[in-house]
Amino acid sequence: MAAVPVDLRSDTVTCPTPAMRRAMAEAEVGDDVYGEDPTVNALQDEAARLTAKEAALFVPSGTMGNGICVKVHTQPGEEVVCEATAHVYWFENASMAVLSGVLPRLVPGDHGILDPQRVAEAIRPPAYYLPRPALLCVENTHNMGGGTCTPVATLKALCRVAQERGMATHLDGARIFNAAAALGVPAAALAAPFDSVQFCLSKGLAAPVGSLICGTRAFVEKARVFRKMLGGGMRQAGVLAAAGLVALREVVPSLPEDHRRARVLAERLAAHPDLSVELEWVQTNIVMAKVKPPKTPGQVCATLKERGVLASPAGAQVVRFVTHHDVDDAALERVGEALGKPF
Ligand code: TLP
């Protein structure tokens, strides 16, 4: 029987742990559209506590969470400033255009990390014939930047620039706990400068479903309206929230292990004759490997798949590898073996 492949396509592939499955089976539930699911309420309270915001709302996905936050902070015809390869721009089916009727204003970052000066330059001056810049959206860690972390001082400077121009600020913190672990700060310190924060339970935290959006009470009440409008009002969602509570308690502390394994993996990838890796930019659980022509990302992924390792093409000459809770040291050894020969 063929061995199960080592799946490094994303940390979204993680499966719930035995403790999560037990918590799900035993969860106390109620109708969350009435606000009566005690487990959802406990998860929301915990999310608000961890991000030091007044309140939080459980939503089905990071995409819906970001979409709702953009909707709450903007009016049609306004502009959202974000990094040029931000998830909210690349991977959300033009949600900001469709749901909110806003334009993205793209600012290229350095491996996804925005420079406050460049952001200041991109914010249009007030004029009745220009779209009003309404929202700055920052991603931390930055996915396409290679899991890179924006430090607290830069986050504060970015938000100061936006606030001085009357803009709201949103953090796509899908992997905020990876950033917090790598930077050695609490997630609340990364969330503090922002009006709203979205974080995912279903990536490195290994829970099956869900994200939290966090902000003021008034923000969450508006967000609740749009969640319902989008069909994200779930009923006995405590069975999902229960896994999220376990994730926050038991999986967050193990994220540094994912980061250690990503570093080992990056060094192995860098040693391969057909690949190169900017090792100084490997900061969390994502490794971007450049493929040397004439080899292509498609060929590299196909050959690795034959050798029992899954990775994803992520751009013209790039393959993305993501370590996570379901990749242990033995799996990493198998990846090392798969990288032992040319492609
Ligand atoms: N990222 C996924 C893909 O969509 C690319 C992945 O495999 O990494 N923000 C960020 C920074 C994300 O990386 C993702 C998912 C989301 C938002 C959306 O979360 P979901 O998948 O829950 O909608």
Side-chain angles (χ1 to χ4, degrees):
M1 208 172 74
V4 176
V6 182
D7 196 343
L8 301 174
R9 287 172 302 166
S10 182
D11 44 11
T12 59
V13 303
T14 42
C15 291
T17 63
M20 287 181 198
R21 288 182 184 273
R22 276 195 301 278
M24 292 171 81
E26 291 162 12
E28 235 187 287
V29 295
D31 189 331
D32 183 48
V33 173
Y34 295 143
E36 290 174 3
D37 188 303
T39 312
V40 170
N41 291 339
L43 175 63
Q44 291 174 164
D45 289 349
E46 181 62 359
R49 191 184 70 76
L50 289 168
T51 56
K53 300 293 181 203
E54 280 177 14
L57 189 70
F58 187 45
V59 294
S61 69
T63 301
M64 188 187 286
N66 284 337
I68 290 172
C69 291
V70 171
K71 184 80 187 154
V72 172
H73 290 306
T74 62
Q75 294 297 321
E78 294 183 329
E79 202 163 61
V80 173
V81 176
C82 64
E83 205 280 324
T85 58
H87 194 280
V88 75
Y89 172 68
W90 269 95
F91 295 108
E92 299 184 9
N93 299 83
S95 151
M96 72 167 82
V98 176
L99 301 179
S100 299
V102 292
L103 278 180
R105 172 83 165 172
L106 303 179
V107 181
D110 182 8
H111 296 77
I113 298 178
L114 286 167
D115 171 19
Q117 181 60 35
R118 290 190 78 172
V119 168
E121 288 161 11
I123 299 174
R124 300 174 194 271
Y128 78 88
Y129 47 83
L130 298 176
R132 188 183 89 81
L135 176 67
L136 171 68
C137 188
V138 178
E139 186 174 317
N140 202 16
T141 66
H142 195 292
N143 185 348
M144 294 310 282
T148 50
C149 304
T150 304
V152 173
T154 311
L155 296 173
K156 283 185 183 163
L158 287 165
C159 289
R160 203 177 309 121
V161 162
Q163 280 148 5
E164 277 168 8
R165 305 292 290 274
M167 298 165 71
T169 55
H170 171 65
L171 178 65
D172 177 355
R175 297 184 178 84
I176 193 173
F177 294 102
N178 295 85
L183 292 167
V185 297
L190 302 176
F194 293 88
D195 296 312
S196 61
V197 180
Q198 180 276 122
F199 73 80
C200 293
L201 299 168
S202 60
K203 307 218 158 29
L205 304 195
V209 177
S211 283
L212 278 302
I213 52 180
C214 316
T216 61
R217 270 194 200 91
F219 166 84
V220 166
E221 284 324 305
K222 289 183 193 158
R224 195 187 303 282
V225 174
F226 291 121
R227 182 184 71 171
K228 190 74 179 74
M229 191 184 286
L230 294 172
M234 299 181 285
R235 301 294 177 170
Q236 285 71 35
V239 289
L240 302 173
L245 282 164
V246 175
L248 291 171
R249 204 170 50 237
E250 293 181 5
V251 184
V252 169
S254 71
L255 293 177
E257 278 294 282
D258 296 347
H259 300 176
R260 177 184 65 75
R261 292 192 181 103
R263 161 92 9 213
V264 172
L265 171 65
E267 283 166 7
R268 290 196 177 148
L269 292 165
H272 193 282
D274 296 320
L275 303 173
S276 70
V277 178
E278 294 177 294
L279 289 171
E280 68 280 19
W281 286 100
V282 179
Q283 300 177 349
T284 57
N285 66 329
I286 299 179
V287 185
M288 295 293 193
K290 287 217 174 77
V291 179
K292 296 181 190 167
K295 291 284 188 301
T296 65
Q299 282 172 329
V300 169
C301 291
T303 308
L304 282 175
K305 190 174 178 182
E306 283 165 20
R307 298 178 190 168
V309 175
L310 305 181
S312 340
Q317 275 312 114
V318 181
V319 175
R320 185 182 78 153
F321 298 80
V322 187
T323 58
H324 51 74
H325 195 256
D326 295 350
V327 175
D328 58 11
D329 288 331
L332 202 59
E333 273 313 306
R334 286 173 55 201
V335 180
E337 283 159 28
L339 291 168
K341 305 170 264 191
F343 295 122

